[in-house]
Structure formats: structure tokens, C-alpha cells
Amino acid sequence: MTRDIESVEQVGVVGAGTMGSGIAQVAAATGYDVILRDIETKYVEDGLAAIADRVDRDVEAERRSENEAAMIQERISGTTTLDDLTACDLIVEAAVEDMDIKQDIFSDLDAMTSEDAILATNTSTLSITSIASVTKYPERVIGIHFMNPVPVMDGVELVAGEKTADDVLTLARSFTETLGKEAWVSDDKPGFVTNRILMPWINEGIRAYNEDVATKEDIDKGMTLGTNAPMGPLTLADHIGLDVCLHATETLYNEFGDRYKPAYLLKRKVEAGDLGKKTGKGFYEYE
């Protein structure tokens, strides 16, 4: 197999949560055969159900036909067995943001796939070089950081590790373009481009609310109307997940020090289990 976009026919996705199911959906919508894997059958079924719900809503909104929706679902198969991804040409890992877990996954994938297959991680903060260090072929490991929600957001962040091969970066860019996304490239530095800049914005919005600078509604209104951002920092934090924001901010804090220190209120809400939209309550309440 040569590393060019024509060689990619089957895509594997490890992790069937919000990000993984979204990646599987857009890949299937492009025409790729997709295998969606998670550690338990329930998680796989939940991911497939989320995809079905999204494409059904697309049909209702007349954004795609019933036939297109059916074809997307037919192209995606689910599994709890990592070995089922052996023949995949490109695999995107979208597991939890934990270095040990990601390294375990990449070590297993490295041992069971062709050395020409591309192994990508959807990590938003962790080092690509460190993830690749457990593999025999680190040159084929790359970061492909999709934005949430994947079916809606047009941008993708590509991150080359210390040993990522040039043709792997080229293929990753071509792959994201086939999905209808536009990519930018970041060096393998903590937080990359997006979270290095976004997390302080969210964190300071939370501090401003906690210090009674303004109501949460006016903080969000001020930042949307004042900067032309699509949503304010507190609303965005709820959509991302407060636990995800805290983890990303703590990673940056460990690397860069006090300028990234997590806001107290962010930590308190995560400790209380109010993680945002996915739990029904964060800074706002959701159905």
C-alpha cells in the first residue's frame, strides 16, 4: 500500500462517544466503510444510535435524503474487538484524554495493523510524540483533532509528532479535505493552536462570572456580540463538557504554570458532576 488518499478505503474509529461517532458519521457520509469500536457493546450501540438520530434529523430538516441517511448507517459497523480494525487503512483514536489509555491503544494498533496504515489520534492536548513513542512505526502516527460537533464544524487541526512522516501529514490533510473539512497545522506543543488559545478564554469567562463581573448571560452576550464569536465562553464550555475543559486547562497549567491555572468554579462544577450539556446542567440547564 502506498500512502495516498486513493489507498484509504476502510476507516477505523476507536471510541464511540460524541467525537468518535461524529468522526464515523462524516467518514461514512463521504463514502468510506467505517468500523466503530468501543470497549463495551452498550457504548457501541449508543454511538450508532447517536449517528442514526443525527442523520434522521438531517432528513427531517431536508439536509439529506432518506436514501443518503440509510447509506451512511449501512457503511458503519460496530465492534468491541480491536482486532476487527486490522485491515483498516486509517484509524482515528477518539478515546478519553488519558495518556496511558491512548498509549495502550496505539501499542496494540501498531502491532496488529500494516506498517503502511495511518494511526491518528483525536487528542486535543496530549503530545503526539509521546503517544507515538510506544509504537514501532512512530512515523505513521499523527494528530487529527476534529472540532465538536464533528458533523457541523468545518475545521480540523493536524499535529505532526517529532517523527511523523511528511507523506502521512499530506495524506491526513487530503483525508480531511475529502470529508469536507479545512485543516490547519500545529506543532506538537501543549494545547496545539486551538486549546492553547481557547481554554484561557473560557477559563477567564468563568472567573469573570465567579467574581460577579456580569451575569453569565451578559458575559456570553458580550463575547458573542463584541467579538463575533458564535457563542460565549460559558455556553461553549457547557457544549464542550466542563470535565474536558478542566482536563485541558490542567494539562496546560502543568506545562506553562499560573497563566493557565483552572478557575475555582470550573473545578467545583466538575466535582459536583455538572459537566454541561451532556449531563443536563453546567452553567446553564438543558433538557
Side-chain angles (χ1 to χ4, degrees), residues 2 32 50 111 120 134 139 143 154 205 258 264 266 281:
T2 56
Y32 292 107
V134 299
E139 65 274 8
D154 293 329
D258 284 349
Y264 167 72
L266 175 60
K281 183 179 180 182

Side-chain angles (χ1 to χ4, degrees), residues 2-145:
T2 56
R3 287 196 180 115
D4 55 52
I5 193 61
E6 287 75 20
S7 66
V8 178
E9 297 179 359
Q10 189 172 64
V11 174
V13 180
V14 179
T18 300
M19 296 301 293
S21 66
I23 295 166
Q25 178 182 329
V26 297
T30 305
Y32 292 107
D33 292 324
V34 181
I35 303 176
L36 181 62
R37 183 263 182 183
D38 214 311
I39 57 174
E40 292 184 17
T41 300
K42 179 185 184 304
Y43 299 148
V44 176
E45 291 176 345
D46 287 348
L48 294 173
I51 294 168
D53 180 63
R54 287 193 294 265
V55 297
D56 284 347
R57 282 189 272 118
D58 283 346
V59 172
E60 291 175 4
E62 299 183 347
R63 289 188 291 264
R64 68 174 83 248
S65 69
E66 290 185 5
N67 184 59
E68 288 173 329
M71 289 298 294
I72 290 171
Q73 294 178 72
E74 288 174 9
R75 292 189 187 109
I76 305 172
S77 60
T79 184
T80 57
T81 305
L82 200 62
D83 284 344
D84 287 342
L85 278 63
T86 299
C88 290
D89 306 303
L90 187 150
I91 300 172
V92 183
E93 168 273 318
V96 295
E97 283 286 89
D98 183 287
M99 180 61 78
D100 291 338
I101 291 174
K102 289 184 186 295
Q103 287 184 330
D104 285 345
I105 292 170
F106 273 78
S107 179
D108 290 341
L109 291 174
D110 187 65
M112 57 182 264
T113 55
S114 161
E115 64 185 83
D116 289 323
I118 306 302
L119 304 182
T121 174
N122 186 56
T123 182
S124 59
T125 57
L126 300 178
S127 167
I128 309 305
T129 302
S130 295
I131 292 171
S133 68
V134 299
T135 68
K136 292 180 181 178
Y137 306 106
E139 65 274 8
R140 64 174 172 152
V141 178
I142 189 167
I144 303 181
H145 176 210

Side-chain angles (χ1 to χ4, degrees), residues 215-240:
T215 65
K216 59 191 175 186
E217 293 84 3
D218 278 348
I219 289 171
D220 280 345
K221 181 184 288 186
M223 295 312 298
T224 52
L225 297 179
T227 68
N228 206 29
M231 61 181 73
L234 302 179
T235 299
L236 181 57
D238 275 357
H239 278 71
I240 293 171

Side-chain angles (χ1 to χ4, degrees), residues 204-259:
E204 194 57 34
I206 296 170
R207 282 202 187 99
Y209 173 50
N210 195 37
E211 294 170 7
D212 296 323
V213 172
T215 65
K216 59 191 175 186
E217 293 84 3
D218 278 348
I219 289 171
D220 280 345
K221 181 184 288 186
M223 295 312 298
T224 52
L225 297 179
T227 68
N228 206 29
M231 61 181 73
L234 302 179
T235 299
L236 181 57
D238 275 357
H239 278 71
I240 293 171
L242 302 191
D243 53 335
V244 176
C245 292
L246 178 60
H247 185 277
T249 305
E250 286 177 333
T251 299
L252 292 163
Y253 177 54
N254 291 335
E255 291 288 340
F256 298 119
D258 284 349
R259 62 182 167 140

